[in-house]
PDB file of all heavy atoms in Angstrom:
ATOM      1  N   SER A 266      -2.560  -2.735  29.617  1.00 80.00           N
ATOM      2  CA  SER A 266      -2.517  -3.696  30.725  1.00 80.00           C
ATOM      3  C   SER A 266      -3.863  -4.354  31.004  1.00 80.00           C
ATOM      4  O   SER A 266      -3.944  -5.571  31.208  1.00 80.00           O
ATOM      5  CB  SER A 266      -2.014  -3.001  31.986  1.00 80.00           C
ATOM      6  OG  SER A 266      -0.715  -2.476  31.780  1.00 80.00           O
ATOM      7  N   LEU A 267      -4.944  -3.588  30.998  1.00 78.00           N
ATOM      8  CA  LEU A 267      -6.260  -4.134  31.339  1.00 78.00           C
ATOM      9  C   LEU A 267      -6.764  -5.128  30.300  1.00 78.00           C
ATOM     10  O   LEU A 267      -7.585  -5.997  30.601  1.00 78.00           O
ATOM     11  CB  LEU A 267      -7.267  -2.992  31.498  1.00 78.00           C
ATOM     12  CG  LEU A 267      -7.046  -2.055  32.699  1.00 78.00           C
ATOM     13  CD1 LEU A 267      -8.073  -0.939  32.678  1.00 78.00           C
ATOM     14  CD2 LEU A 267      -7.128  -2.831  34.014  1.00 78.00           C
ATOM     15  N   LEU A 268      -6.257  -4.994  29.041  1.00 75.00           N
ATOM     16  CA  LEU A 268      -6.711  -5.882  27.975  1.00 75.00           C
ATOM     17  C   LEU A 268      -5.735  -7.014  27.673  1.00 75.00           C
ATOM     18  O   LEU A 268      -6.055  -7.919  26.903  1.00 75.00           O
ATOM     19  CB  LEU A 268      -6.925  -5.069  26.687  1.00 75.00           C
ATOM     20  CG  LEU A 268      -7.968  -3.954  26.761  1.00 75.00           C
ATOM     21  CD1 LEU A 268      -8.015  -3.200  25.445  1.00 75.00           C
ATOM     22  CD2 LEU A 268      -9.348  -4.512  27.100  1.00 75.00           C
ATOM     23  N   ASN A 269      -4.562  -6.963  28.293  1.00 74.00           N
ATOM     24  CA  ASN A 269      -3.524  -7.944  27.982  1.00 74.00           C
ATOM     25  C   ASN A 269      -3.552  -9.131  28.944  1.00 74.00           C
ATOM     26  O   ASN A 269      -2.517  -9.595  29.408  1.00 74.00           O
ATOM     27  CB  ASN A 269      -2.137  -7.276  27.999  1.00 74.00           C
ATOM     28  CG  ASN A 269      -1.116  -8.100  27.237  1.00 74.00           C
ATOM     29  OD1 ASN A 269      -1.453  -8.850  26.333  1.00 74.00           O
ATOM     30  ND2 ASN A 269       0.147  -7.955  27.605  1.00 74.00           N
ATOM     31  N   VAL A 270      -4.748  -9.598  29.251  1.00 77.00           N
ATOM     32  CA  VAL A 270      -4.913 -10.773  30.123  1.00 77.00           C
ATOM     33  C   VAL A 270      -5.939 -11.704  29.478  1.00 77.00           C
ATOM     34  O   VAL A 270      -6.884 -11.248  28.830  1.00 77.00           O
ATOM     35  CB  VAL A 270      -5.386 -10.370  31.539  1.00 77.00           C
ATOM     36  CG1 VAL A 270      -4.301  -9.606  32.269  1.00 77.00           C
ATOM     37  CG2 VAL A 270      -6.668  -9.540  31.478  1.00 77.00           C
ATOM     38  N   PRO A 271      -5.738 -13.028  29.636  1.00 79.00           N
ATOM     39  CA  PRO A 271      -6.727 -13.966  29.081  1.00 79.00           C
ATOM     40  C   PRO A 271      -8.072 -13.793  29.771  1.00 79.00           C
ATOM     41  O   PRO A 271      -8.114 -13.432  30.949  1.00 79.00           O
ATOM     42  CB  PRO A 271      -6.104 -15.333  29.403  1.00 79.00           C
ATOM     43  CG  PRO A 271      -4.651 -15.056  29.649  1.00 79.00           C
ATOM     44  CD  PRO A 271      -4.593 -13.685  30.259  1.00 79.00           C
ATOM     45  N   PRO A 272      -9.199 -14.029  29.087  1.00 81.00           N
ATOM     46  CA  PRO A 272      -9.286 -14.455  27.684  1.00 81.00           C
ATOM     47  C   PRO A 272      -9.341 -13.300  26.690  1.00 81.00           C
ATOM     48  O   PRO A 272      -9.395 -13.521  25.495  1.00 81.00           O
ATOM     49  CB  PRO A 272     -10.591 -15.246  27.670  1.00 81.00           C
ATOM     50  CG  PRO A 272     -11.458 -14.518  28.644  1.00 81.00           C
ATOM     51  CD  PRO A 272     -10.535 -14.049  29.745  1.00 81.00           C
ATOM     52  N   VAL A 273      -9.331 -12.053  27.212  1.00 76.00           N
ATOM     53  CA  VAL A 273      -9.443 -10.894  26.319  1.00 76.00           C
ATOM     54  C   VAL A 273      -8.269 -10.839  25.344  1.00 76.00           C
ATOM     55  O   VAL A 273      -8.434 -10.577  24.150  1.00 76.00           O
ATOM     56  CB  VAL A 273      -9.528  -9.580  27.129  1.00 76.00           C
ATOM     57  CG1 VAL A 273      -9.584  -8.377  26.192  1.00 76.00           C
ATOM     58  CG2 VAL A 273     -10.734  -9.600  28.047  1.00 76.00           C
ATOM     59  N   SER A 274      -7.052 -11.111  25.830  1.00 77.00           N
ATOM     60  CA  SER A 274      -5.867 -11.057  24.970  1.00 77.00           C
ATOM     61  C   SER A 274      -5.944 -12.110  23.865  1.00 77.00           C
ATOM     62  O   SER A 274      -5.507 -11.873  22.733  1.00 77.00           O
ATOM     63  CB  SER A 274      -4.601 -11.253  25.805  1.00 77.00           C
ATOM     64  OG  SER A 274      -4.640 -12.487  26.496  1.00 77.00           O
ATOM     65  N   TRP A 275      -6.517 -13.279  24.182  1.00 76.00           N
ATOM     66  CA  TRP A 275      -6.685 -14.310  23.149  1.00 76.00           C
ATOM     67  C   TRP A 275      -7.632 -13.815  22.055  1.00 76.00           C
ATOM     68  O   TRP A 275      -7.400 -14.047  20.873  1.00 76.00           O
ATOM     69  CB  TRP A 275      -7.248 -15.589  23.765  1.00 76.00           C
ATOM     70  CG  TRP A 275      -6.408 -16.179  24.863  1.00 76.00           C
ATOM     71  CD1 TRP A 275      -5.081 -15.941  25.096  1.00 76.00           C
ATOM     72  CD2 TRP A 275      -6.849 -17.085  25.871  1.00 76.00           C
ATOM     73  NE1 TRP A 275      -4.659 -16.647  26.191  1.00 76.00           N
ATOM     74  CE2 TRP A 275      -5.721 -17.376  26.696  1.00 76.00           C
ATOM     75  CE3 TRP A 275      -8.064 -17.704  26.177  1.00 76.00           C
ATOM     76  CZ2 TRP A 275      -5.793 -18.232  27.787  1.00 76.00           C
ATOM     77  CZ3 TRP A 275      -8.134 -18.567  27.255  1.00 76.00           C
ATOM     78  CH2 TRP A 275      -7.006 -18.825  28.055  1.00 76.00           C
ATOM     79  N   PHE A 276      -8.704 -13.171  22.488  1.00 76.00           N
ATOM     80  CA  PHE A 276      -9.699 -12.661  21.548  1.00 76.00           C
ATOM     81  C   PHE A 276      -9.074 -11.612  20.627  1.00 76.00           C
ATOM     82  O   PHE A 276      -9.285 -11.626  19.410  1.00 76.00           O
ATOM     83  CB  PHE A 276     -10.866 -12.060  22.324  1.00 76.00           C
ATOM     84  CG  PHE A 276     -11.947 -11.475  21.451  1.00 76.00           C
ATOM     85  CD1 PHE A 276     -12.843 -12.286  20.770  1.00 76.00           C
ATOM     86  CD2 PHE A 276     -12.065 -10.102  21.308  1.00 76.00           C
ATOM     87  CE1 PHE A 276     -13.832 -11.752  19.967  1.00 76.00           C
ATOM     88  CE2 PHE A 276     -13.052  -9.549  20.517  1.00 76.00           C
ATOM     89  CZ  PHE A 276     -13.943 -10.382  19.842  1.00 76.00           C
ATOM     90  N   ILE A 277      -8.279 -10.710  21.180  1.00 76.00           N
ATOM     91  CA  ILE A 277      -7.645  -9.649  20.392  1.00 76.00           C
ATOM     92  C   ILE A 277      -6.690 -10.244  19.365  1.00 76.00           C
ATOM     93  O   ILE A 277      -6.673  -9.847  18.198  1.00 76.00           O
ATOM     94  CB  ILE A 277      -6.909  -8.653  21.313  1.00 76.00           C
ATOM     95  CG1 ILE A 277      -7.916  -7.875  22.161  1.00 76.00           C
ATOM     96  CG2 ILE A 277      -6.048  -7.697  20.491  1.00 76.00           C
ATOM     97  CD1 ILE A 277      -7.285  -6.977  23.193  1.00 76.00           C
ATOM     98  N   ARG A 278      -5.890 -11.221  19.788  1.00 77.00           N
ATOM     99  CA  ARG A 278      -4.954 -11.852  18.849  1.00 77.00           C
ATOM    100  C   ARG A 278      -5.711 -12.593  17.743  1.00 77.00           C
ATOM    101  O   ARG A 278      -5.316 -12.562  16.575  1.00 77.00           O
ATOM    102  CB  ARG A 278      -4.025 -12.806  19.598  1.00 77.00           C
ATOM    103  CG  ARG A 278      -3.007 -12.095  20.489  1.00 77.00           C
ATOM    104  CD  ARG A 278      -1.863 -13.009  20.865  1.00 77.00           C
ATOM    105  NE  ARG A 278      -2.295 -14.116  21.714  1.00 77.00           N
ATOM    106  CZ  ARG A 278      -2.294 -14.079  23.048  1.00 77.00           C
ATOM    107  NH1 ARG A 278      -1.896 -12.970  23.671  1.00 77.00           N
ATOM    108  NH2 ARG A 278      -2.671 -15.116  23.763  1.00 77.00           N
ATOM    109  N   GLY A 279      -6.787 -13.264  18.116  1.00 77.00           N
ATOM    110  CA  GLY A 279      -7.579 -13.976  17.121  1.00 77.00           C
ATOM    111  C   GLY A 279      -8.183 -13.050  16.086  1.00 77.00           C
ATOM    112  O   GLY A 279      -8.172 -13.341  14.885  1.00 77.00           O
ATOM    113  N   ILE A 280      -8.700 -11.907  16.545  1.00 75.00           N
ATOM    114  CA  ILE A 280      -9.268 -10.921  15.622  1.00 75.00           C
ATOM    115  C   ILE A 280      -8.181 -10.371  14.695  1.00 75.00           C
ATOM    116  O   ILE A 280      -8.406 -10.168  13.494  1.00 75.00           O
ATOM    117  CB  ILE A 280      -9.930  -9.770  16.404  1.00 75.00           C
ATOM    118  CG1 ILE A 280     -11.226 -10.258  17.045  1.00 75.00           C
ATOM    119  CG2 ILE A 280     -10.206  -8.579  15.497  1.00 75.00           C
ATOM    120  CD1 ILE A 280     -12.315 -10.637  16.059  1.00 75.00           C
ATOM    121  N   ALA A 281      -6.967 -10.147  15.229  1.00 75.00           N
ATOM    122  CA  ALA A 281      -5.866  -9.625  14.413  1.00 75.00           C
ATOM    123  C   ALA A 281      -5.544 -10.569  13.260  1.00 75.00           C
ATOM    124  O   ALA A 281      -5.342 -10.139  12.116  1.00 75.00           O
ATOM    125  CB  ALA A 281      -4.627  -9.414  15.280  1.00 75.00           C
ATOM    126  N   VAL A 282      -5.513 -11.867  13.527  1.00 76.00           N
ATOM    127  CA  VAL A 282      -5.217 -12.851  12.483  1.00 76.00           C
ATOM    128  C   VAL A 282      -6.354 -12.902  11.461  1.00 76.00           C
ATOM    129  O   VAL A 282      -6.122 -12.931  10.246  1.00 76.00           O
ATOM    130  CB  VAL A 282      -4.980 -14.247  13.101  1.00 76.00           C
ATOM    131  CG1 VAL A 282      -4.864 -15.302  12.004  1.00 76.00           C
ATOM    132  CG2 VAL A 282      -3.722 -14.249  13.960  1.00 76.00           C
ATOM    133  N   LYS A 283      -7.612 -12.889  11.932  1.00 75.00           N
ATOM    134  CA  LYS A 283      -8.759 -12.957  11.023  1.00 75.00           C
ATOM    135  C   LYS A 283      -8.811 -11.731  10.116  1.00 75.00           C
ATOM    136  O   LYS A 283      -9.079 -11.844   8.914  1.00 75.00           O
ATOM    137  CB  LYS A 283     -10.052 -13.073  11.825  1.00 75.00           C
ATOM    138  CG  LYS A 283     -10.256 -14.434  12.485  1.00 75.00           C
ATOM    139  CD  LYS A 283     -11.574 -14.485  13.235  1.00 75.00           C
ATOM    140  CE  LYS A 283     -11.779 -15.852  13.893  1.00 75.00           C
ATOM    141  NZ  LYS A 283     -13.059 -15.912  14.648  1.00 75.00           N
ATOM    142  N   VAL A 284      -8.577 -10.551  10.678  1.00 72.00           N
ATOM    143  CA  VAL A 284      -8.607  -9.321   9.872  1.00 72.00           C
ATOM    144  C   VAL A 284      -7.491  -9.352   8.831  1.00 72.00           C
ATOM    145  O   VAL A 284      -7.685  -8.961   7.673  1.00 72.00           O
ATOM    146  CB  VAL A 284      -8.483  -8.081  10.772  1.00 72.00           C
ATOM    147  CG1 VAL A 284      -8.255  -6.824   9.936  1.00 72.00           C
ATOM    148  CG2 VAL A 284      -9.729  -7.906  11.627  1.00 72.00           C
ATOM    149  N   THR A 285      -6.303  -9.837   9.231  1.00 73.00           N
ATOM    150  CA  THR A 285      -5.171  -9.909   8.303  1.00 73.00           C
ATOM    151  C   THR A 285      -5.481 -10.821   7.127  1.00 73.00           C
ATOM    152  O   THR A 285      -5.233 -10.481   5.969  1.00 73.00           O
ATOM    153  CB  THR A 285      -3.915 -10.405   9.034  1.00 73.00           C
ATOM    154  OG1 THR A 285      -3.571  -9.483  10.071  1.00 73.00           O
ATOM    155  CG2 THR A 285      -2.741 -10.518   8.073  1.00 73.00           C
ATOM    156  N   LYS A 286      -6.042 -11.988   7.402  1.00 74.00           N
ATOM    157  CA  LYS A 286      -6.373 -12.925   6.329  1.00 74.00           C
ATOM    158  C   LYS A 286      -7.451 -12.351   5.410  1.00 74.00           C
ATOM    159  O   LYS A 286      -7.386 -12.518   4.190  1.00 74.00           O
ATOM    160  CB  LYS A 286      -6.816 -14.257   6.928  1.00 74.00           C
ATOM    161  CG  LYS A 286      -5.679 -15.042   7.583  1.00 74.00           C
ATOM    162  CD  LYS A 286      -6.155 -16.383   8.127  1.00 74.00           C
ATOM    163  CE  LYS A 286      -4.987 -17.181   8.688  1.00 74.00           C
ATOM    164  NZ  LYS A 286      -5.414 -18.500   9.246  1.00 74.00           N
ATOM    165  N   ALA A 287      -8.432 -11.672   5.983  1.00 72.00           N
ATOM    166  CA  ALA A 287      -9.478 -11.055   5.167  1.00 72.00           C
ATOM    167  C   ALA A 287      -8.890  -9.939   4.302  1.00 72.00           C
ATOM    168  O   ALA A 287      -9.264  -9.766   3.136  1.00 72.00           O
ATOM    169  CB  ALA A 287     -10.585 -10.504   6.061  1.00 72.00           C
ATOM    170  N   LEU A 288      -7.952  -9.181   4.860  1.00 71.00           N
ATOM    171  CA  LEU A 288      -7.290  -8.112   4.120  1.00 71.00           C
ATOM    172  C   LEU A 288      -6.525  -8.668   2.922  1.00 71.00           C
ATOM    173  O   LEU A 288      -6.606  -8.136   1.811  1.00 71.00           O
ATOM    174  CB  LEU A 288      -6.341  -7.357   5.050  1.00 71.00           C
ATOM    175  CG  LEU A 288      -5.373  -6.356   4.409  1.00 71.00           C
ATOM    176  CD1 LEU A 288      -6.136  -5.255   3.708  1.00 71.00           C
ATOM    177  CD2 LEU A 288      -4.424  -5.778   5.447  1.00 71.00           C
ATOM    178  N   LEU A 289      -5.770  -9.761   3.145  1.00 74.00           N
ATOM    179  CA  LEU A 289      -5.006 -10.363   2.064  1.00 74.00           C
ATOM    180  C   LEU A 289      -5.922 -10.875   0.952  1.00 74.00           C
ATOM    181  O   LEU A 289      -5.608 -10.752  -0.236  1.00 74.00           O
ATOM    182  CB  LEU A 289      -4.143 -11.510   2.603  1.00 74.00           C
ATOM    183  CG  LEU A 289      -3.039 -11.114   3.585  1.00 74.00           C
ATOM    184  CD1 LEU A 289      -2.279 -12.347   4.051  1.00 74.00           C
ATOM    185  CD2 LEU A 289      -2.082 -10.114   2.958  1.00 74.00           C
ATOM    186  N   GLN A 290      -7.051 -11.443   1.339  1.00 71.00           N
ATOM    187  CA  GLN A 290      -7.995 -11.934   0.343  1.00 71.00           C
ATOM    188  C   GLN A 290      -8.571 -10.782  -0.477  1.00 71.00           C
ATOM    189  O   GLN A 290      -8.682 -10.863  -1.705  1.00 71.00           O
ATOM    190  CB  GLN A 290      -9.131 -12.711   1.025  1.00 71.00           C
ATOM    191  CG  GLN A 290     -10.137 -13.329   0.072  1.00 71.00           C
ATOM    192  CD  GLN A 290      -9.504 -14.334  -0.883  1.00 71.00           C
ATOM    193  OE1 GLN A 290      -8.528 -15.006  -0.547  1.00 71.00           O
ATOM    194  NE2 GLN A 290     -10.052 -14.425  -2.089  1.00 71.00           N
ATOM    195  N   ASP A 291      -8.929  -9.687   0.198  1.00 70.00           N
ATOM    196  CA  ASP A 291      -9.430  -8.501  -0.514  1.00 70.00           C
ATOM    197  C   ASP A 291      -8.375  -7.954  -1.473  1.00 70.00           C
ATOM    198  O   ASP A 291      -8.674  -7.554  -2.595  1.00 70.00           O
ATOM    199  CB  ASP A 291      -9.815  -7.415   0.484  1.00 70.00           C
ATOM    200  CG  ASP A 291     -11.194  -7.649   1.090  1.00 70.00           C
ATOM    201  OD1 ASP A 291     -11.926  -8.513   0.581  1.00 70.00           O
ATOM    202  OD2 ASP A 291     -11.527  -6.976   2.075  1.00 70.00           O
ATOM    203  N   LEU A 292      -7.131  -7.930  -1.000  1.00 72.00           N
ATOM    204  CA  LEU A 292      -6.031  -7.398  -1.792  1.00 72.00           C
ATOM    205  C   LEU A 292      -5.847  -8.207  -3.073  1.00 72.00           C
ATOM    206  O   LEU A 292      -5.717  -7.652  -4.168  1.00 72.00           O
ATOM    207  CB  LEU A 292      -4.753  -7.430  -0.956  1.00 72.00           C
ATOM    208  CG  LEU A 292      -3.507  -6.742  -1.502  1.00 72.00           C
ATOM    209  CD1 LEU A 292      -3.765  -5.271  -1.740  1.00 72.00           C
ATOM    210  CD2 LEU A 292      -2.347  -6.929  -0.527  1.00 72.00           C
ATOM    211  N   ARG A 293      -5.880  -9.527  -2.956  1.00 70.00           N
ATOM    212  CA  ARG A 293      -5.703 -10.386  -4.130  1.00 70.00           C
ATOM    213  C   ARG A 293      -6.866 -10.248  -5.100  1.00 70.00           C
ATOM    214  O   ARG A 293      -6.665 -10.173  -6.315  1.00 70.00           O
ATOM    215  CB  ARG A 293      -5.560 -11.839  -3.672  1.00 70.00           C
ATOM    216  CG  ARG A 293      -4.189 -12.112  -3.082  1.00 70.00           C
ATOM    217  CD  ARG A 293      -4.057 -13.513  -2.604  1.00 70.00           C
ATOM    218  NE  ARG A 293      -2.671 -13.815  -2.319  1.00 70.00           N
ATOM    219  CZ  ARG A 293      -2.271 -14.917  -1.715  1.00 70.00           C
ATOM    220  NH1 ARG A 293      -3.156 -15.817  -1.325  1.00 70.00           N
ATOM    221  NH2 ARG A 293      -0.992 -15.134  -1.495  1.00 70.00           N
ATOM    222  N   GLU A 294      -8.074 -10.217  -4.575  1.00 71.00           N
ATOM    223  CA  GLU A 294      -9.237 -10.071  -5.440  1.00 71.00           C
ATOM    224  C   GLU A 294      -9.209  -8.729  -6.158  1.00 71.00           C
ATOM    225  O   GLU A 294      -9.596  -8.621  -7.322  1.00 71.00           O
ATOM    226  CB  GLU A 294     -10.521 -10.214  -4.618  1.00 71.00           C
ATOM    227  CG  GLU A 294     -10.772 -11.634  -4.132  1.00 71.00           C
ATOM    228  CD  GLU A 294     -12.016 -11.749  -3.276  1.00 71.00           C
ATOM    229  OE1 GLU A 294     -12.702 -10.716  -3.092  1.00 71.00           O
ATOM    230  OE2 GLU A 294     -12.309 -12.859  -2.803  1.00 71.00           O
ATOM    231  N   TYR A 295      -8.726  -7.705  -5.466  1.00 69.00           N
ATOM    232  CA  TYR A 295      -8.636  -6.375  -6.056  1.00 69.00           C
ATOM    233  C   TYR A 295      -7.700  -6.379  -7.260  1.00 69.00           C
ATOM    234  O   TYR A 295      -8.021  -5.855  -8.327  1.00 69.00           O
ATOM    235  CB  TYR A 295      -8.133  -5.389  -5.005  1.00 69.00           C
ATOM    236  CG  TYR A 295      -8.035  -3.964  -5.476  1.00 69.00           C
ATOM    237  CD1 TYR A 295      -9.166  -3.165  -5.580  1.00 69.00           C
ATOM    238  CD2 TYR A 295      -6.802  -3.410  -5.812  1.00 69.00           C
ATOM    239  CE1 TYR A 295      -9.073  -1.851  -6.015  1.00 69.00           C
ATOM    240  CE2 TYR A 295      -6.708  -2.103  -6.246  1.00 69.00           C
ATOM    241  CZ  TYR A 295      -7.843  -1.330  -6.342  1.00 69.00           C
ATOM    242  OH  TYR A 295      -7.744  -0.041  -6.778  1.00 69.00           O
ATOM    243  N   TYR A 296      -6.528  -7.007  -7.111  1.00 65.00           N
ATOM    244  CA  TYR A 296      -5.581  -7.045  -8.213  1.00 65.00           C
ATOM    245  C   TYR A 296      -6.061  -7.926  -9.355  1.00 65.00           C
ATOM    246  O   TYR A 296      -5.801  -7.643 -10.524  1.00 65.00           O
ATOM    247  CB  TYR A 296      -4.197  -7.483  -7.714  1.00 65.00           C
ATOM    248  CG  TYR A 296      -3.421  -6.325  -7.154  1.00 65.00           C
ATOM    249  CD1 TYR A 296      -3.244  -6.163  -5.798  1.00 65.00           C
ATOM    250  CD2 TYR A 296      -2.879  -5.362  -8.004  1.00 65.00           C
ATOM    251  CE1 TYR A 296      -2.557  -5.081  -5.282  1.00 65.00           C
ATOM    252  CE2 TYR A 296      -2.188  -4.273  -7.504  1.00 65.00           C
ATOM    253  CZ  TYR A 296      -2.032  -4.138  -6.143  1.00 65.00           C
ATOM    254  OH  TYR A 296      -1.365  -3.057  -5.647  1.00 65.00           O
ATOM    255  N   LEU A 297      -6.773  -9.001  -9.046  1.00 64.00           N
ATOM    256  CA  LEU A 297      -7.352  -9.829 -10.100  1.00 64.00           C
ATOM    257  C   LEU A 297      -8.371  -9.031 -10.907  1.00 64.00           C
ATOM    258  O   LEU A 297      -8.417  -9.116 -12.133  1.00 64.00           O
ATOM    259  CB  LEU A 297      -8.017 -11.066  -9.485  1.00 64.00           C
ATOM    260  CG  LEU A 297      -7.078 -12.186  -9.031  1.00 64.00           C
ATOM    261  CD1 LEU A 297      -7.865 -13.271  -8.303  1.00 64.00           C
ATOM    262  CD2 LEU A 297      -6.325 -12.778 -10.219  1.00 64.00           C
ATOM    263  N   GLU A 298      -9.185  -8.242 -10.210  1.00 65.00           N
ATOM    264  CA  GLU A 298     -10.165  -7.396 -10.891  1.00 65.00           C
ATOM    265  C   GLU A 298      -9.479  -6.374 -11.778  1.00 65.00           C
ATOM    266  O   GLU A 298      -9.894  -6.112 -12.901  1.00 65.00           O
ATOM    267  CB  GLU A 298     -11.050  -6.688  -9.864  1.00 65.00           C
ATOM    268  CG  GLU A 298     -12.010  -7.604  -9.125  1.00 65.00           C
ATOM    269  CD  GLU A 298     -12.722  -6.889  -7.997  1.00 65.00           C
ATOM    270  OE1 GLU A 298     -12.505  -5.665  -7.855  1.00 65.00           O
ATOM    271  OE2 GLU A 298     -13.472  -7.549  -7.270  1.00 65.00           O
ATOM    272  N   ARG A 299      -8.389  -5.763 -11.274  1.00 61.00           N
ATOM    273  CA  ARG A 299      -7.689  -4.746 -12.048  1.00 61.00           C
ATOM    274  C   ARG A 299      -7.049  -5.347 -13.293  1.00 61.00           C
ATOM    275  O   ARG A 299      -7.046  -4.748 -14.352  1.00 61.00           O
ATOM    276  CB  ARG A 299      -6.610  -4.062 -11.181  1.00 61.00           C
ATOM    277  CG  ARG A 299      -7.138  -3.352  -9.950  1.00 61.00           C
ATOM    278  CD  ARG A 299      -7.837  -2.042 -10.245  1.00 61.00           C
ATOM    279  NE  ARG A 299      -9.154  -2.169 -10.809  1.00 61.00           N
ATOM    280  CZ  ARG A 299     -10.240  -2.508 -10.116  1.00 61.00           C
ATOM    281  NH1 ARG A 299     -10.163  -2.761  -8.841  1.00 61.00           N
ATOM    282  NH2 ARG A 299     -11.419  -2.577 -10.690  1.00 61.00           N
ATOM    283  N   THR A 300      -6.492  -6.560 -13.152  1.00 62.00           N
ATOM    284  CA  THR A 300      -5.879  -7.215 -14.300  1.00 62.00           C
ATOM    285  C   THR A 300      -6.928  -7.546 -15.345  1.00 62.00           C
ATOM    286  O   THR A 300      -6.734  -7.334 -16.539  1.00 62.00           O
ATOM    287  CB  THR A 300      -5.146  -8.500 -13.867  1.00 62.00           C
ATOM    288  OG1 THR A 300      -4.164  -8.178 -12.891  1.00 62.00           O
ATOM    289  CG2 THR A 300      -4.448  -9.137 -15.050  1.00 62.00           C
ATOM    290  N   GLN A 301      -8.076  -8.078 -14.893  1.00 58.00           N
ATOM    291  CA  GLN A 301      -9.140  -8.407 -15.812  1.00 58.00           C
ATOM    292  C   GLN A 301      -9.684  -7.164 -16.481  1.00 58.00           C
ATOM    293  O   GLN A 301      -9.961  -7.143 -17.677  1.00 58.00           O
ATOM    294  CB  GLN A 301     -10.269  -9.132 -15.065  1.00 58.00           C
ATOM    295  CG  GLN A 301     -11.408  -9.606 -15.966  1.00 58.00           C
ATOM    296  CD  GLN A 301     -10.918 -10.599 -17.016  1.00 58.00           C
ATOM    297  OE1 GLN A 301     -10.229 -11.571 -16.704  1.00 58.00           O
ATOM    298  NE2 GLN A 301     -11.274 -10.352 -18.264  1.00 58.00           N
TER     299      GLN A 301
END
Side-chain angles (χ1 to χ4, degrees):
S266 300
L267 292 177
L268 299 177
N269 200 26
V270 292
V273 178
S274 58
W275 302 340
F276 179 75
I277 292 174
R278 289 198 294 268
I280 288 294
V282 172
K283 288 181 180 179
V284 170
T285 298
K286 290 182 176 179
L288 170 62
L289 295 179
Q290 183 60 31
D291 279 348
L292 189 59
R293 285 179 168 171
E294 289 178 2
Y295 182 78
Y296 276 105
L297 283 174
E298 290 172 4
R299 299 285 75 76
T300 302
Q301 184 61 50

